[in-house]
Amino acid sequence: MKIAYFPGCSLHSTGAEFDVSTRKVCEAMDVQLCEVKDWTCCGSSPAHQCDELMSVALPARILALTTETEGLREVCAPCASCYSRLKFAQDRLGDPKWRADIEAVVGRSCPDDIGVYNMLDLVSDKVGLEAVAAHVVKPLAGLKVACYYGCLLTRPPKIVGGANHENPSVMESIMETIGAESLDWNLKTFCCGAGFALTKTEVVLELTRKVLADAVAVGAEAIVVACPLCHANLDGRQEQINTAFGADFHVPIFYFTQLMGMAFGIAPGQLAIGKHLTDVSAFLKERALL
Amino acid sequence: MKIITDKNGARDPGLAEEIRARCGENVYLCYQCRKCAAGCPNRLFMDSTPTELMRYVQLGMAEEAMKGNTIWYCLSCHTCSARCPQDIDIPHVVDALRIIVQEKKIKTDTGDAALLNRLWMAMLRLGRMYEMGLAGLMNILSGHPFKDARLAAKMIRKGKIKLLPTIRKPLEIHRMFKRARSLKK
C-alpha cells in the first residue's frame, strides 16, 4: 500500500520519535509512505486563533500537494494538530464560498475528497488488526498501559468523524493486538494543556499532572500516546510537575508506534526510544525489552 | 450566580451578529444548560465559564466577553462543542472573539497569547516552524528569558530540537499571506 505522508513540523523536531517509529512500523507492514514534497507548516493552533482564512489555507495547500505526490489521493498525518487542521480545511472546502477564497489564497486547486488519516486510523482501518497481529513476534504480554488520546484525534466529532469521541477504543484494540493489556481510566480524552506550554505553562503542569495521576491510580506501567504535543507535555514536564506539586512521577510515555515496533521485534534503538526525557531504560530492562 | 447590571461596561448590541458574520455560529441557540462549563478542563483558570461567555455575547456585553481571561484560557480542546446539545462550535466563537481583540488591538491581558500568535505567524513564513527560535523569542519578549532553560538543554542534548531553521517555500507562503490580506479588505 502507498500513501502520502505529511509529518509536520513537530515530527521533525520535538516529536522525532513518532516519525522514526511510524516509518519503521510502516516499513514492516508494507506501507509505503511518500513524503509530501515541500510541505509547510499547517498553521496549528495559533493560526486559527488569529487568522481564520490562513488557518484553513495552509492545510489546504497540503491537500493540494498530496495529489502531486505520485498522484495519491490519501494522506497520513500522524500529528494530531496537523490531522485536525487538514480535516478542518477539508470541511471548509466543502463550502463553495470558502472554497473560492481558499483556492485564491493557495493559488492551486484544492481537492476536498482526499482521504485524511491519522496513524491510528491507518493502522486499524487501512492495514487492519489481523495484518498487524501477523507481524507480532515479541508480544508485550502483561504490560499494563493507559491509552491517551487527548483532544484533537477524536474532537470535534463532526469534523474528524471519529467513532465514540467520549470513549474511543482504537488504540486499546491495537495494544491488545500486540499483547499489551489496556486499562480502563477516566482521562483518556482529557486535554494535556497542548500549546499552552509556551505561554501559560501552569495550565500544562496542572492538566498533565491530572492525566499522570489518573493513569498511575489505575495501575498503568506506561502511558501510550498518538500525538507529539501530548508526548512533549507528558514526557517532558514530569520533572517540573514533581517539583511544583511535590509529586514523584516517573511514568514512561510511549508513542503507540514505538510499542508496535518493539512487538514487531524492531530494536528499541531503531525506534528512537533513547530520546525520552523521562528515562525509560529501567522500565525496558525490567520488561526484558532492551 | 452572577448578577449583572447595566453598570458593567458598555453594551454592543451587534456583537452576536458580528460573531455570526465572522464565523457562522449562532450564539442565540445557547439556552444556558451549562454542559460546556461542566466539562471544560480549564474552567478553574477562567474568570467566567464558557456558558457565561455565550450569555455575554448574546447580550452584547463586549467588555465582559473580550476583556475577561476566558477566551485566552480556552484550550480549543472541543470538549464543549462535542457535547453542546445545540451544536454550537464554542471554540469557534472564542476564536472569533480573539480575532476581534487582535484585529481591533483592544487593550487586554492575553497572557502572552497574542504575542505567541504574532511570532508564530511571522515565523511561519520560513515554511516550517522553527521551534528553537520561537521559544527563544517568546522568552525574551515575554520577559522570562530563562523559562524552561533546563528542559531546553535536555531537549538539545537528546536531539529533540533543531538549532537551525528549515526553510521551505518562503516566497509561496509570503504570497499566500499577501493574497489573504487583499481578500479580507
mmCIF file of all heavy atoms in Angstrom, chain B residues 134-168:
data_model
loop_
_atom_site.group_PDB
_atom_site.id
_atom_site.type_symbol
_atom_site.label_atom_id
_atom_site.label_comp_id
_atom_site.label_asym_id
_atom_site.label_seq_id
_atom_site.Cartn_x
_atom_site.Cartn_y
_atom_site.Cartn_z
ATOM 1 N N LEU B 134 11.370 30.210 18.013
ATOM 2 C CA LEU B 134 10.080 30.645 18.543
ATOM 3 C C LEU B 134 10.128 30.723 20.069
ATOM 4 O O LEU B 134 9.751 31.741 20.662
ATOM 5 C CB LEU B 134 8.987 29.666 18.095
ATOM 6 C CG LEU B 134 7.584 29.984 18.591
ATOM 7 C CD1 LEU B 134 6.985 31.144 17.805
ATOM 8 C CD2 LEU B 134 6.670 28.767 18.498
ATOM 9 N N ALA B 135 10.615 29.635 20.691
ATOM 10 C CA ALA B 135 10.652 29.596 22.161
ATOM 11 C C ALA B 135 11.603 30.672 22.695
ATOM 12 O O ALA B 135 11.302 31.356 23.678
ATOM 13 C CB ALA B 135 11.072 28.211 22.641
ATOM 14 N N GLY B 136 12.752 30.843 22.022
ATOM 15 C CA GLY B 136 13.723 31.847 22.453
ATOM 16 C C GLY B 136 13.141 33.251 22.392
ATOM 17 O O GLY B 136 13.227 34.017 23.360
ATOM 18 N N LEU B 137 12.518 33.566 21.261
ATOM 19 C CA LEU B 137 11.920 34.898 21.110
ATOM 20 C C LEU B 137 10.789 35.111 22.115
ATOM 21 O O LEU B 137 10.645 36.183 22.695
ATOM 22 C CB LEU B 137 11.380 35.077 19.686
ATOM 23 C CG LEU B 137 12.388 35.535 18.638
ATOM 24 C CD1 LEU B 137 11.752 35.529 17.251
ATOM 25 C CD2 LEU B 137 12.899 36.949 18.964
ATOM 26 N N MET B 138 9.973 34.062 22.312
ATOM 27 C CA MET B 138 8.872 34.152 23.276
ATOM 28 C C MET B 138 9.426 34.500 24.655
ATOM 29 O O MET B 138 8.904 35.367 25.350
ATOM 30 C CB MET B 138 8.148 32.798 23.388
ATOM 31 C CG MET B 138 6.869 32.640 22.599
ATOM 32 S SD MET B 138 5.713 33.973 22.710
ATOM 33 C CE MET B 138 4.920 33.682 24.277
ATOM 34 N N ASN B 139 10.483 33.784 25.047
ATOM 35 C CA ASN B 139 11.075 34.014 26.370
ATOM 36 C C ASN B 139 11.567 35.444 26.526
ATOM 37 O O ASN B 139 11.311 36.097 27.531
ATOM 38 C CB ASN B 139 12.246 33.046 26.602
ATOM 39 C CG ASN B 139 11.769 31.681 27.069
ATOM 40 O OD1 ASN B 139 10.568 31.414 27.102
ATOM 41 N ND2 ASN B 139 12.700 30.829 27.418
ATOM 42 N N ILE B 140 12.264 35.926 25.486
ATOM 43 C CA ILE B 140 12.832 37.272 25.577
ATOM 44 C C ILE B 140 11.716 38.322 25.609
ATOM 45 O O ILE B 140 11.652 39.166 26.486
ATOM 46 C CB ILE B 140 13.789 37.530 24.388
ATOM 47 C CG1 ILE B 140 15.021 36.615 24.531
ATOM 48 C CG2 ILE B 140 14.210 38.990 24.328
ATOM 49 C CD1 ILE B 140 15.831 36.496 23.261
ATOM 50 N N LEU B 141 10.777 38.201 24.655
ATOM 51 C CA LEU B 141 9.754 39.242 24.528
ATOM 52 C C LEU B 141 8.709 39.195 25.645
ATOM 53 O O LEU B 141 8.037 40.187 25.917
ATOM 54 C CB LEU B 141 9.078 39.163 23.155
ATOM 55 C CG LEU B 141 10.033 39.449 21.976
ATOM 56 C CD1 LEU B 141 9.353 39.194 20.646
ATOM 57 C CD2 LEU B 141 10.551 40.883 22.038
ATOM 58 N N SER B 142 8.542 38.036 26.287
ATOM 59 C CA SER B 142 7.569 37.974 27.377
ATOM 60 C C SER B 142 8.233 38.283 28.720
ATOM 61 O O SER B 142 7.577 38.302 29.765
ATOM 62 C CB SER B 142 6.902 36.593 27.429
ATOM 63 O OG SER B 142 7.854 35.608 27.774
ATOM 64 N N GLY B 143 9.573 38.519 28.687
ATOM 65 C CA GLY B 143 10.265 38.908 29.909
ATOM 66 C C GLY B 143 10.630 37.745 30.821
ATOM 67 O O GLY B 143 10.869 37.934 32.008
ATOM 68 N N HIS B 144 10.645 36.522 30.300
ATOM 69 C CA HIS B 144 11.072 35.360 31.101
ATOM 70 C C HIS B 144 12.201 34.641 30.360
ATOM 71 O O HIS B 144 12.018 33.538 29.860
ATOM 72 C CB HIS B 144 9.919 34.376 31.317
ATOM 73 C CG HIS B 144 8.682 35.016 31.861
ATOM 74 N ND1 HIS B 144 7.601 35.364 31.059
ATOM 75 C CD2 HIS B 144 8.356 35.387 33.118
ATOM 76 C CE1 HIS B 144 6.670 35.918 31.814
ATOM 77 N NE2 HIS B 144 7.091 35.934 33.061
ATOM 78 N N PRO B 145 13.386 35.302 30.266
ATOM 79 C CA PRO B 145 14.437 34.771 29.386
ATOM 80 C C PRO B 145 14.887 33.349 29.745
ATOM 81 O O PRO B 145 15.349 32.621 28.873
ATOM 82 C CB PRO B 145 15.582 35.770 29.560
ATOM 83 C CG PRO B 145 15.255 36.555 30.784
ATOM 84 C CD PRO B 145 13.782 36.557 30.918
ATOM 85 N N PHE B 146 14.745 32.960 31.022
ATOM 86 C CA PHE B 146 15.278 31.633 31.390
ATOM 87 C C PHE B 146 14.199 30.577 31.568
ATOM 88 O O PHE B 146 14.458 29.495 32.085
ATOM 89 C CB PHE B 146 16.155 31.749 32.660
ATOM 90 C CG PHE B 146 17.289 32.699 32.474
ATOM 91 C CD1 PHE B 146 17.325 33.907 33.152
ATOM 92 C CD2 PHE B 146 18.314 32.399 31.572
ATOM 93 C CE1 PHE B 146 18.358 34.803 32.948
ATOM 94 C CE2 PHE B 146 19.354 33.286 31.363
ATOM 95 C CZ PHE B 146 19.386 34.492 32.054
ATOM 96 N N LYS B 147 12.982 30.895 31.128
ATOM 97 C CA LYS B 147 11.887 29.933 31.253
ATOM 98 C C LYS B 147 12.250 28.621 30.530
ATOM 99 O O LYS B 147 12.689 28.630 29.389
ATOM 100 C CB LYS B 147 10.617 30.531 30.630
ATOM 101 C CG LYS B 147 9.414 29.623 30.702
ATOM 102 C CD LYS B 147 8.200 30.301 30.065
ATOM 103 C CE LYS B 147 7.004 29.387 30.039
ATOM 104 N NZ LYS B 147 7.155 28.196 29.216
ATOM 105 N N ASP B 148 12.076 27.511 31.237
ATOM 106 C CA ASP B 148 12.298 26.174 30.660
ATOM 107 C C ASP B 148 13.738 25.962 30.166
ATOM 108 O O ASP B 148 13.966 25.123 29.298
ATOM 109 C CB ASP B 148 11.324 25.906 29.497
ATOM 110 C CG ASP B 148 9.897 25.711 29.974
ATOM 111 O OD1 ASP B 148 9.712 25.295 31.134
ATOM 112 O OD2 ASP B 148 8.969 25.972 29.197
ATOM 113 N N ALA B 149 14.703 26.718 30.720
ATOM 114 C CA ALA B 149 16.085 26.601 30.230
ATOM 115 C C ALA B 149 16.614 25.174 30.421
ATOM 116 O O ALA B 149 17.268 24.603 29.546
ATOM 117 C CB ALA B 149 16.975 27.605 30.950
ATOM 118 N N ARG B 150 16.311 24.599 31.601
ATOM 119 C CA ARG B 150 16.787 23.249 31.918
ATOM 120 C C ARG B 150 16.188 22.226 30.953
ATOM 121 O O ARG B 150 16.875 21.344 30.443
ATOM 122 C CB ARG B 150 16.358 22.949 33.355
ATOM 123 C CG ARG B 150 17.149 21.888 34.044
ATOM 124 C CD ARG B 150 16.598 21.738 35.464
ATOM 125 N NE ARG B 150 16.506 20.321 35.783
ATOM 126 C CZ ARG B 150 17.529 19.627 36.268
ATOM 127 N NH1 ARG B 150 18.676 20.202 36.484
ATOM 128 N NH2 ARG B 150 17.391 18.334 36.537
ATOM 129 N N LEU B 151 14.884 22.389 30.717
ATOM 130 C CA LEU B 151 14.174 21.489 29.800
ATOM 131 C C LEU B 151 14.753 21.619 28.386
ATOM 132 O O LEU B 151 15.005 20.628 27.700
ATOM 133 C CB LEU B 151 12.676 21.835 29.808
ATOM 134 C CG LEU B 151 11.756 21.033 28.899
ATOM 135 C CD1 LEU B 151 11.800 19.553 29.256
ATOM 136 C CD2 LEU B 151 10.312 21.542 29.024
ATOM 137 N N ALA B 152 14.993 22.878 27.974
ATOM 138 C CA ALA B 152 15.531 23.107 26.632
ATOM 139 C C ALA B 152 16.907 22.463 26.480
ATOM 140 O O ALA B 152 17.213 21.842 25.455
ATOM 141 C CB ALA B 152 15.608 24.610 26.352
ATOM 142 N N ALA B 153 17.737 22.577 27.545
ATOM 143 C CA ALA B 153 19.082 21.986 27.486
ATOM 144 C C ALA B 153 18.974 20.469 27.309
ATOM 145 O O ALA B 153 19.697 19.871 26.506
ATOM 146 C CB ALA B 153 19.847 22.332 28.763
ATOM 147 N N LYS B 154 18.043 19.866 28.054
ATOM 148 C CA LYS B 154 17.833 18.416 27.934
ATOM 149 C C LYS B 154 17.397 18.045 26.513
ATOM 150 O O LYS B 154 17.847 17.048 25.943
ATOM 151 C CB LYS B 154 16.712 17.984 28.897
ATOM 152 C CG LYS B 154 17.204 17.494 30.247
ATOM 153 C CD LYS B 154 16.222 16.492 30.794
ATOM 154 C CE LYS B 154 15.443 16.793 31.966
ATOM 155 N NZ LYS B 154 14.446 15.982 32.482
ATOM 156 N N MET B 155 16.502 18.855 25.963
ATOM 157 C CA MET B 155 15.979 18.563 24.627
ATOM 158 C C MET B 155 17.066 18.678 23.576
ATOM 159 O O MET B 155 17.123 17.885 22.634
ATOM 160 C CB MET B 155 14.794 19.479 24.296
ATOM 161 C CG MET B 155 13.585 19.172 25.141
ATOM 162 S SD MET B 155 12.231 20.315 24.868
ATOM 163 C CE MET B 155 11.476 19.584 23.451
ATOM 164 N N ILE B 156 17.934 19.665 23.740
ATOM 165 C CA ILE B 156 19.029 19.830 22.781
ATOM 166 C C ILE B 156 19.969 18.627 22.879
ATOM 167 O O ILE B 156 20.372 18.048 21.872
ATOM 168 C CB ILE B 156 19.785 21.157 23.033
ATOM 169 C CG1 ILE B 156 18.879 22.336 22.680
ATOM 170 C CG2 ILE B 156 21.079 21.216 22.216
ATOM 171 C CD1 ILE B 156 19.381 23.684 23.154
ATOM 172 N N ARG B 157 20.262 18.209 24.133
ATOM 173 C CA ARG B 157 21.133 17.053 24.338
ATOM 174 C C ARG B 157 20.562 15.802 23.672
ATOM 175 O O ARG B 157 21.291 14.990 23.130
ATOM 176 C CB ARG B 157 21.317 16.810 25.835
ATOM 177 C CG ARG B 157 22.730 17.064 26.296
ATOM 178 C CD ARG B 157 23.076 16.554 27.679
ATOM 179 N NE ARG B 157 22.016 16.313 28.616
ATOM 180 C CZ ARG B 157 21.565 17.200 29.504
ATOM 181 N NH1 ARG B 157 22.061 18.407 29.533
ATOM 182 N NH2 ARG B 157 20.624 16.872 30.355
ATOM 183 N N LYS B 158 19.252 15.654 23.737
ATOM 184 C CA LYS B 158 18.609 14.460 23.165
ATOM 185 C C LYS B 158 18.327 14.625 21.669
ATOM 186 O O LYS B 158 17.683 13.771 21.058
ATOM 187 C CB LYS B 158 17.284 14.200 23.891
ATOM 188 C CG LYS B 158 17.458 13.812 25.340
ATOM 189 C CD LYS B 158 17.438 12.312 25.493
ATOM 190 C CE LYS B 158 17.568 11.917 26.961
ATOM 191 N NZ LYS B 158 17.546 10.478 27.146
ATOM 192 N N GLY B 159 18.732 15.754 21.114
ATOM 193 C CA GLY B 159 18.486 15.984 19.696
ATOM 194 C C GLY B 159 17.013 16.111 19.373
ATOM 195 O O GLY B 159 16.558 15.744 18.289
ATOM 196 N N LYS B 160 16.227 16.637 20.325
ATOM 197 C CA LYS B 160 14.785 16.756 20.102
ATOM 198 C C LYS B 160 14.396 18.121 19.553
ATOM 199 O O LYS B 160 13.215 18.363 19.292
ATOM 200 C CB LYS B 160 14.032 16.517 21.418
ATOM 201 C CG LYS B 160 13.935 15.049 21.782
ATOM 202 C CD LYS B 160 13.176 14.852 23.066
ATOM 203 C CE LYS B 160 11.701 14.982 22.889
ATOM 204 N NZ LYS B 160 11.021 13.720 22.761
ATOM 205 N N ILE B 161 15.355 18.998 19.453
ATOM 206 C CA ILE B 161 15.023 20.326 18.952
ATOM 207 C C ILE B 161 16.153 20.785 18.041
ATOM 208 O O ILE B 161 17.325 20.603 18.354
ATOM 209 C CB ILE B 161 14.733 21.278 20.148
ATOM 210 C CG1 ILE B 161 13.991 22.508 19.688
ATOM 211 C CG2 ILE B 161 15.977 21.632 20.930
ATOM 212 C CD1 ILE B 161 13.137 23.119 20.780
ATOM 213 N N LYS B 162 15.776 21.307 16.886
ATOM 214 C CA LYS B 162 16.792 21.696 15.913
ATOM 215 C C LYS B 162 17.325 23.083 16.220
ATOM 216 O O LYS B 162 16.568 23.985 16.561
ATOM 217 C CB LYS B 162 16.174 21.695 14.509
ATOM 218 C CG LYS B 162 15.980 20.297 13.966
ATOM 219 C CD LYS B 162 15.461 20.372 12.534
ATOM 220 C CE LYS B 162 15.243 18.969 11.995
ATOM 221 N NZ LYS B 162 14.385 18.966 10.823
ATOM 222 N N LEU B 163 18.649 23.217 16.093
ATOM 223 C CA LEU B 163 19.245 24.516 16.391
ATOM 224 C C LEU B 163 19.051 25.499 15.241
ATOM 225 O O LEU B 163 18.977 26.698 15.451
ATOM 226 C CB LEU B 163 20.739 24.344 16.694
ATOM 227 C CG LEU B 163 21.028 23.526 17.969
ATOM 228 C CD1 LEU B 163 22.523 23.308 18.147
ATOM 229 C CD2 LEU B 163 20.456 24.219 19.207
ATOM 230 N N LEU B 164 18.964 24.972 14.025
ATOM 231 C CA LEU B 164 18.816 25.850 12.862
ATOM 232 C C LEU B 164 17.451 25.652 12.203
ATOM 233 O O LEU B 164 16.887 24.558 12.252
ATOM 234 C CB LEU B 164 19.923 25.545 11.843
ATOM 235 C CG LEU B 164 21.344 25.862 12.329
ATOM 236 C CD1 LEU B 164 22.375 25.334 11.343
ATOM 237 C CD2 LEU B 164 21.528 27.357 12.548
ATOM 238 N N PRO B 165 16.915 26.705 11.606
ATOM 239 C CA PRO B 165 15.602 26.573 10.957
ATOM 240 C C PRO B 165 15.658 25.770 9.657
ATOM 241 O O PRO B 165 16.716 25.680 9.028
ATOM 242 C CB PRO B 165 15.208 28.028 10.678
ATOM 243 C CG PRO B 165 16.490 28.781 10.614
ATOM 244 C CD PRO B 165 17.453 28.064 11.508
ATOM 245 N N THR B 166 14.531 25.179 9.295
ATOM 246 C CA THR B 166 14.407 24.528 7.983
ATOM 247 C C THR B 166 13.521 25.437 7.141
ATOM 248 O O THR B 166 12.377 25.707 7.501
ATOM 249 C CB THR B 166 13.701 23.159 8.109
ATOM 250 O OG1 THR B 166 14.332 22.430 9.135
ATOM 251 C CG2 THR B 166 13.744 22.395 6.802
ATOM 252 N N ILE B 167 14.073 25.933 6.048
ATOM 253 C CA ILE B 167 13.317 26.888 5.234
ATOM 254 C C ILE B 167 12.716 26.186 4.021
ATOM 255 O O ILE B 167 13.429 25.456 3.308
ATOM 256 C CB ILE B 167 14.220 28.073 4.839
ATOM 257 C CG1 ILE B 167 14.674 28.787 6.123
ATOM 258 C CG2 ILE B 167 13.492 29.048 3.924
ATOM 259 C CD1 ILE B 167 15.793 29.773 5.931
ATOM 260 N N ARG B 168 11.430 26.342 3.822
ATOM 261 C CA ARG B 168 10.746 25.733 2.684
ATOM 262 C C ARG B 168 9.749 26.715 2.067
ATOM 263 O O ARG B 168 8.870 27.196 2.759
ATOM 264 C CB ARG B 168 9.936 24.507 3.124
ATOM 265 C CG ARG B 168 10.697 23.231 3.278
ATOM 266 C CD ARG B 168 11.185 22.662 1.945
ATOM 267 N NE ARG B 168 11.917 21.432 2.165
ATOM 268 C CZ ARG B 168 13.125 21.336 2.707
ATOM 269 N NH1 ARG B 168 13.761 22.411 3.071
ATOM 270 N NH2 ARG B 168 13.691 20.158 2.887
#
